Amino acid sequence: MEPAVTRTSPPLPDVSGLLDGIPGQRAPQQVTRPVEERPRVRLRRPPRIPAPFTLSYAAVLAVTSSVAAHADPALVHALHQGSSTDVAHLLTAPAQVLIASALWVAGGLLSPFTLGFLIVLTALERRIGGARTAVVFLLGHVLATLATEVPVGLAVLVGHLPDSSLHRLDYGISFGVAASVGSLAGLLRPWLRRPLLIAFGGMLLQDLIAFTDPLTNWGHLIALTIGIATWPWVRRWSRERPGGAARGVT
C-alpha cells in the first residue's frame, strides 16, 4: 500500500483590510524600470581672445583716429592741444595728459606706428599678459616723455629756449610702441632679435639724422632703451606664463 501524498497549496495573498464584494481594491504592482541616463551635454567655452588689452586699446585708437580724420580741424587741434604732454600741461595736470596723449595716433591710422602697435603689442601680450604689457607700454610712454620734456622746461628756465617751447605739441603712442619693441626683442631668439633691433634702431637713427623733430626722435631712442632695460622682468614674466618655457625664451 503506497503512502498518501499530501499536496501543499501555495500561500494565499494577504487580503486583510479588503472589503468583500468590492473588486479592484488591490493596486496593480508597479514595475520599476531602470532610468536611462541622458547623455551629458558639454558646454563649449567661448573662444578665447588672444590679446584683449591690445585689441581693446586698438579699438579706442580707431575711434580717436576717426574723429581726427572727420571732425572739424579746429576741434581736432583743440583736442590735440588739450592732450599734449608739453611742459605747461605736465606742470598742471601730469596724470591726465599722460593718459590723454596716449589715446591719439600721430599721423592717423596710416602711421607706421599703428601697424607696429598691433603686431608688437599682440606678440608681447601673448607672452607676458595684458596687464604687464600695459606696464611696459606706459613705462616707455611716461619715462620717454619726461626725458624729453624736462630738458625743455629747464632750457626755458635758464633762457636758452623761448616761452613758446612750454606749449610744444606732443602726443601719440610712438614712445610706448618703441618701448614695446625693445621689450619684445628680449623674448626672441638671437637670430630674430638682432635683425629686429638693427632694423628698428636704424630707422630711428635715420629720423634723428634728418633732424625734422629732434626731441621726438630722441624720445623714440630713449623709449627703445627703456624697453631693452625691461628684459630681466619680461623674461621672468614669460617663464611664469603657461608654456613660457616651450616658446624658447632666451
Side-chain angles (χ1 to χ4, degrees), residues 97-151:
V97 294
L98 283 170
I99 295 175
S101 64
L103 302 179
W104 302 93
V105 180
L109 290 178
L110 298 179
S111 169
F113 283 98
T114 304
L115 181 61
F117 173 91
L118 292 174
I119 296 176
V120 173
L121 265 74
T122 298
L124 188 61
E125 183 173 356
R126 290 172 67 93
R127 286 165 171 79
I128 65 174
R132 290 164 174 172
T133 301
V135 170
V136 171
F137 183 91
L138 289 176
L139 197 65
H141 176 69
V142 172
L143 294 183
T145 297
L146 295 178
T148 52
E149 293 296 339
V150 170

Side-chain angles (χ1 to χ4, degrees), residues 16-246:
S16 61
L18 301 180
L19 299 178
D20 296 338
I22 301 179
Q25 295 183 75
R26 188 180 300 277
Q29 295 182 357
Q30 295 180 355
V31 179
T32 58
R33 298 179 180 178
V35 180
E36 296 181 357
E37 294 185 358
R38 296 181 179 180
R40 296 181 180 180
V41 179
R42 295 182 178 180
L43 299 177
R44 293 182 178 180
R45 294 181 179 180
R48 183 180 178 184
I49 301 176
F53 166 72
T54 302
L55 294 180
S56 301
Y57 197 171
V60 174
L61 294 176
V63 172
T64 56
S65 297
S66 178
V67 171
H70 299 95
D72 182 72
L75 174 62
V76 174
H77 178 74
L79 292 173
H80 287 167
Q81 190 66 52
S83 304
S84 174
T85 51
D86 52 50
V87 177
H89 283 146
L90 288 174
L91 289 175
T92 56
Q96 291 87 331
V97 294
L98 283 170
I99 295 175
S101 64
L103 302 179
W104 302 93
V105 180
L109 290 178
L110 298 179
S111 169
F113 283 98
T114 304
L115 181 61
F117 173 91
L118 292 174
I119 296 176
V120 173
L121 265 74
T122 298
L124 188 61
E125 183 173 356
R126 290 172 67 93
R127 286 165 171 79
I128 65 174
R132 290 164 174 172
T133 301
V135 170
V136 171
F137 183 91
L138 289 176
L139 197 65
H141 176 69
V142 172
L143 294 183
T145 297
L146 295 178
T148 52
E149 293 296 339
V150 170
V152 172
L154 295 176
V156 172
L157 185 63
V158 298
H160 290 169
L161 289 176
D163 292 345
S164 59
S165 299
L166 298 176
H167 304 278
R168 188 182 72 91
L169 197 61
D170 186 15
Y171 64 90
I173 61 172
S174 58
F175 290 170
V177 174
S180 300
V181 171
S183 184
L184 176 64
L187 301 177
L188 302 177
R189 296 284 189 180
W191 64 268
L192 186 57
R193 178 191 311 148
R194 295 190 185 98
L196 175 63
L197 292 176
I198 292 172
F200 188 72
M203 182 188 72
L204 299 182
L205 285 175
Q206 286 182 352
D207 292 340
L208 182 62
I209 294 172
F211 212 71
T212 55
D213 190 356
L215 280 179
T216 301
N217 299 146
W218 273 115
H220 291 154
L221 288 171
I222 293 172
L224 179 63
T225 305
I226 292 171
I228 293 173
T230 64
W231 286 2
W233 294 283
V234 295
R235 286 172 174 173
R236 184 177 70 250
W237 294 339
S238 179
R239 287 191 294 267
E240 292 173 356
R241 297 271 295 177

